[in-house]
């Protein structure tokens, strides 16, 4: 029988907060055996005290201000499930760690934006700082990188890190629907937020990518200098074209070791259907890690939702019960590399380009001339379907080139009279690479 008890405060009693209470209360004994101490919830905070959250809160102390939880003498560990990179989440993290108490969070924005400062505080005050649920929900990828793969030099980590985007892309592909239509439906059934910007514009994926890069490569998490592109501009014609070429379109967060430093980026890409990531559908997440000794490992599972996310939060709590330590990002804060914020590799590869152009003579000559001036060489080119304003789509793939060359060409093409709307560009992922 475990006699030691760790007292827990939970800030935020929404989807994840209520889920964590359910697991802690429902599995007390087994978690006690696993952690060697009993985890006991003693205090909570949320905005609305009267709201029914499907869990009994009557035995817990209530704090209107979540930051007060850190100062309670009865509390050893604070779980932050409010969200947001600043505001009460950041204030609570600082206050908890300054007091040398353990801090567990599912908040990717907080860790991506303030990870270094919080890791410093944790180290200075000998406190645990854990955030397994912040990346890919129920998939234990933070633990895998920090612990399971500690023997390896990681050359790349990339994956599908946003369930909302993958859900939208999957339905566009399966049902032939347009982006707006699927987004509205996703909002209606709760798969997308009322304000979906963070998800569909790639910011959420960028937060998670910054955290993965920090742990995989021992650098401070940052979004500075990370090119971030979402899925708003993906059209059914792109999905169809990808299928014809043997690919599926996925929004990827990518972190690579290059000769010039660590490169991080977020963008939709064409992934070969034979690749594990192409088999990941709907709201599922997946992460691929390439290590020198282990080779490639792939992690797939639920990236969000009450059960999977709470599962990851409770795993962190069990780690704290066990006293499992180690540096927050895998190496001591003083050893964390400063991230490179300028473009490091030029992102060499092959690209897919879709143009909506006027259906008239001379258009093809204009396009090929602009691409040629930027040394972008065409591998295949077809005219496809109807575009806006009675134009047509020109769909091309390039030979090996750099992203900067393609972007320069697209910027000239955008200005050309014959081009009717902003061109779309997608990186074509070569099997086994990012
Ligand atoms: N949901 C997921 O599947 C998922 C997956 C991975 C990570 N996460 C992360 O987990 C965290 C929580 O997400 P969630 O989905 O559980 O959010 P949520 O359902 O919106 O819950 C947020 C909770 O925070 C409380 N809150 C907001 N502002 C507050 C304040 N100023 N003071 C005290 N409490 C405040 C809310 O109180 P009221 O209930 O009274 O309004 C609510 O209980 C976020 O960082 C999110 O990014 C979520």
């Amino acid at each position: 029988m475990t006699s030691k008890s760790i007292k827990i405060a939970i800030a935020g009693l929404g989807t994840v907060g209520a889920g964590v209470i359910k697991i802690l209360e429902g599995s007390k004994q087994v978690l006690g055996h696993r952690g060697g101490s009993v985890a006991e919830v003693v205090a909570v905070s949320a905005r609305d005290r009267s709201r029914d959250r499907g869990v009994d809160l009557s035995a817990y102390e209530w704090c209107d201000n979540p930051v007060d939880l850190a100062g309670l003498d009865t509390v050893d560990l604070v779980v932050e499930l409010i969200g947001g990179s600043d505001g009460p989440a950041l204030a609570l993290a600082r206050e908890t760690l300054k007091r040398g108490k353990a801090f567990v969070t599912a908040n990717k924005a907080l860790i991506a934006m303030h990870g270094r400062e919080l890791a410093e505080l944790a180290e200075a005050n000998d406190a645990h700082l854990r955030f397994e649920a912040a990346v890919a929900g129920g998939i234990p990828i933070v633990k895998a990188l920090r612990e399971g793969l500690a023997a390896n030099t990681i050359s790349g980590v990339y994956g599908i890190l946003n369930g909302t985007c993958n859900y939208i892309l999957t339905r566009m592909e399966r049902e032939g629907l347009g982006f707006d239509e699927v987004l509205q439906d996703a909002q209606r059934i709760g798969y997308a937020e009322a304000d979906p910007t963070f998800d569909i514009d790639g910011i959420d994926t960028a937060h998670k990518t910054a955290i993965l890069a920090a742990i995989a490569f021992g650098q401070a998490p940052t979004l500075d200098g990370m090119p971030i592109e979402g899925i708003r501009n993906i059209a059914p014609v792109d999905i169809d074209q990808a299928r014809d070429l043997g690919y599926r379109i996925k929004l990827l967060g990518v972190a690579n070791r290059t000769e010039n430093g660590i490169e991080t980026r977020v963008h939709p890409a064409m992934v070969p259907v034979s690749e594990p990531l192409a088999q990941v559908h709907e709201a599922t997440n997946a992460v691929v890690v390439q290590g020198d000794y282990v080779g490639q490992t792939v992690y797939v599972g639920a990236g969000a939702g009450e059960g999977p996310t709470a599962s990851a939060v409770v795993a962190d709590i069990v780690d704290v019960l066990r006293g499992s330590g180690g540096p927050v990002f895998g190496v001591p804060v003083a050893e964390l590399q400063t991230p490179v914020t300028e473009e490091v590799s030029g992102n060499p590869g092959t690209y897919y380009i879709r143009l909506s152009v006027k259906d008239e003579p001379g258009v093809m000559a204009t396009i090929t001339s602009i691409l040629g001036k930027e040394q972008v060489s065409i591998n295949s080119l077809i005219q496809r379907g109807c575009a806006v304003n009675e134009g047509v789509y020109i769909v091309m793939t390039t030979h090996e080139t750099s992203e900067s060359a393609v972007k320069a060409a697209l910027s000239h093409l955008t200005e050309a009279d014959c081009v009717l709307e902003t061109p779309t560009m997608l990186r074509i992922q070569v099997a086994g690479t990012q």
Side-chain angles (χ1 to χ4, degrees), residues 67-393:
V67 185
D68 291 345
L69 295 171
L72 295 178
D73 288 339
T74 46
V75 169
D76 308 304
L77 183 161
V78 172
V79 182
E80 182 276 308
L81 300 167
I82 295 174
S85 61
D86 297 280
L90 178 60
L92 179 59
R94 285 176 173 154
E95 193 58 31
T96 305
L97 295 169
K98 269 184 202 156
R99 288 171 181 270
K101 297 183 180 185
F103 185 77
V104 170
T105 182
N107 188 336
K108 51 256 173 181
L110 176 74
I111 298 300
M113 305 308 282
H114 302 285
R116 187 190 172 104
E117 177 205 328
L118 296 179
E120 254 165 17
L121 273 177
E123 227 171 80
N125 297 289
D126 201 17
H128 293 275
L129 167 58
R130 296 276 171 168
F131 46 84
E132 180 63 71
V135 186
I139 304 174
I141 186 62
V142 170
K143 200 179 244 301
L145 279 170
R146 190 164 46 193
E147 298 172 27
L149 300 176
N152 292 266
T153 296
I154 305 296
S155 56
V157 49
Y158 63 102
I160 296 169
L161 303 173
N162 184 274
T164 304
C165 288
N166 207 48
Y167 174 82
I168 291 172
L169 291 170
T170 302
R171 285 201 54 198
M172 286 176 74
E173 186 196 339
R174 286 185 179 160
E175 298 168 44
L177 300 173
F179 172 79
D180 291 331
E181 196 178 341
V182 179
L183 173 60
Q184 278 165 22
D185 208 37
Q187 286 171 313
R188 193 179 54 74
I189 58 177
Y191 268 56
E193 305 278 342
D195 178 0
T197 313
F198 258 45
D199 290 323
I200 62 176
D201 288 339
I203 313 294
D204 176 79
T205 299
H207 286 145
K208 294 163 179 171
T209 304
I211 297 171
L212 288 179
I215 306 163
F217 303 114
Q219 67 172 22
T222 184
L223 266 64
D224 289 351
M226 186 191 302
I228 303 169
E229 197 189 315
I231 62 165
R232 262 181 215 274
N233 297 327
I234 304 294
V237 62
D238 302 318
I239 305 258
D240 290 348
Q241 192 61 33
R243 186 190 292 117
D244 291 354
L245 291 165
Y247 297 91
R248 290 206 172 97
I249 298 176
K250 299 291 178 189
L251 182 70
L252 299 184
V254 178
N256 274 329
R257 189 185 293 280
T258 76
E259 278 177 7
N260 303 318
I262 305 306
E263 169 196 56
T264 54
R265 49 190 160 86
V266 172
H267 54 69
M270 288 196 177
V271 178
V273 286
S274 56
E275 286 284 294
L277 290 189
Q279 311 306 325
V280 176
H281 303 297
E282 309 224 335
T284 305
N285 281 197
V287 185
V288 179
V289 184
Q290 193 69 39
D292 53 353
Y293 290 110
V294 73
Q296 188 181 79
T297 52
V298 184
Y299 309 80
V300 182
E306 179 185 310
T309 313
S311 153
V313 172
V314 173
D316 277 347
I317 294 172
V318 171
D319 264 356
V320 176
L321 298 183
R322 287 173 175 157
S324 314
V328 173
F329 293 109
V331 295
V333 175
E335 306 297 322
L336 285 175
Q337 305 292 311
T338 305
V340 180
T341 53
E342 69 270 14
E343 194 177 319
V344 291
S345 74
N347 202 358
T350 56
Y351 289 83
Y352 161 94
I353 299 169
R354 171 177 47 89
L355 302 171
S356 165
V357 297
K358 290 178 183 165
D359 192 9
E360 61 188 26
V363 168
M364 221 51 103
T366 306
I367 294 169
T368 49
S369 152
I370 290 174
L371 289 169
K373 276 188 192 139
E374 298 299 335
Q375 310 293 318
V376 176
S377 148
I378 298 169
N379 181 30
S380 70
L381 183 150
I382 57 165
Q383 182 175 314
R384 199 172 169 134
C386 291
V388 293
N389 299 333
E390 299 184 359
V392 291
Y393 284 129

Side-chain angles (χ1 to χ4, degrees), residues 12-16 46-48 51 53 66 81 83 88 106-108 304-305 309:
L13 300 170
T15 307
V16 186
R47 280 176 301 206
D48 181 354
R51 194 164 136 197
R53 300 164 191 281
L81 300 167
N107 188 336
K108 51 256 173 181
T309 313

